[in-house]
């Protein structure tokens, strides 16, 4: 692998996901963390899974736009919804799983499916998780 093009730096303080904070060194992101009510927490803050889902959705959407431009496919009204699940693992601990839903217009279903798979091959989040967690990817043409 080649040298880094960009390095993101974030620090978690306090009690981590249980009421701590996460912030980037450039101060562009500074969030209070909280355990979701679904997991017995109080909610009222964000959690690592939401941050991961937001990052993956944005990155995948950029990859989709890049692939479409490269292939001269005109897409419109595009969005990527990332659902990141925290799952209990057999024997203890937790793991992640994800479903990525691409929504777009301007192309037929076959083209949407091709663009989605090409974006999945390009996206750094997809590449980092491939083979490590269960991931489903689908496209819907509106």
């Amino acid at each position: 692998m080649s040298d880094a093009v960009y390095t993101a730096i974030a620090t978690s303080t306090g009690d981590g996901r249980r009421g701590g904070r996460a912030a980037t060194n450039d101060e562009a992101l500074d969030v209070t963390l909280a355990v979701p009510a679904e997991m017995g927490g109080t909610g009222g803050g964000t959690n690592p899974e939401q941050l991961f889902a937001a990052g993956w959705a944005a990155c995948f959407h950029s990859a989709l736009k890049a692939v479409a431009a490269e292939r001269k496919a005109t897409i419109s009204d595009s969005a990527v919804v990332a659902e990141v699940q925290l799952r209990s693992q057999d024997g203890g601990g937790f793991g992640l799983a994800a479903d990525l839903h691409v929504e777009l217009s301007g192309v037929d279903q076959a083209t949407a499916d091709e663009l989605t798979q090409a974006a999945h091959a390009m996206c750094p989040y997809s590449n980092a998780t491939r083979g490590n967690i269960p991931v489903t990817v689908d496209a819907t043409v509106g």
Side-chain angles (χ1 to χ4, degrees):
M1 188 174 285
S2 62
D3 293 334
V5 175
Y6 170 74
T7 301
I9 301 171
T11 302
S12 173
T13 58
D15 290 327
R17 72 181 301 128
R18 297 191 178 278
R21 296 191 74 72
T24 55
N25 66 319
D26 63 1
E27 300 176 0
L29 177 73
D30 187 347
V31 295
T32 299
L33 301 171
V35 176
E38 297 88 345
M39 291 178 59
T42 60
T46 192
N47 59 66
E49 295 73 35
Q50 289 172 320
L51 294 168
F52 191 73
W56 200 349
C59 187
F60 197 100
H61 198 191
S62 293
L64 178 70
K65 296 264 190 170
V67 166
E70 180 181 281
R71 296 179 181 201
K72 298 182 179 15
T74 303
I75 61 173
S76 57
D77 300 323
S78 61
V80 175
V81 177
E83 298 178 14
V84 173
Q85 303 126 33
L86 183 65
R87 296 181 174 180
S88 297
Q89 292 184 315
D90 293 337
F94 296 94
L96 297 175
D99 299 312
L100 302 174
H101 307 287
V102 174
E103 303 166 354
L104 69 161
S105 299
V107 294
D108 61 24
Q109 187 64 51
T111 302
D113 292 340
E114 289 173 18
L115 294 173
T116 297
Q117 289 307 313
H120 192 43
M122 175 187 279
C123 175
Y125 280 73
S126 295
N127 288 330
T129 58
R130 187 169 290 110
N132 297 312
I133 67 170
V135 178
T136 63
V137 180
D138 61 58
T140 302
V141 175

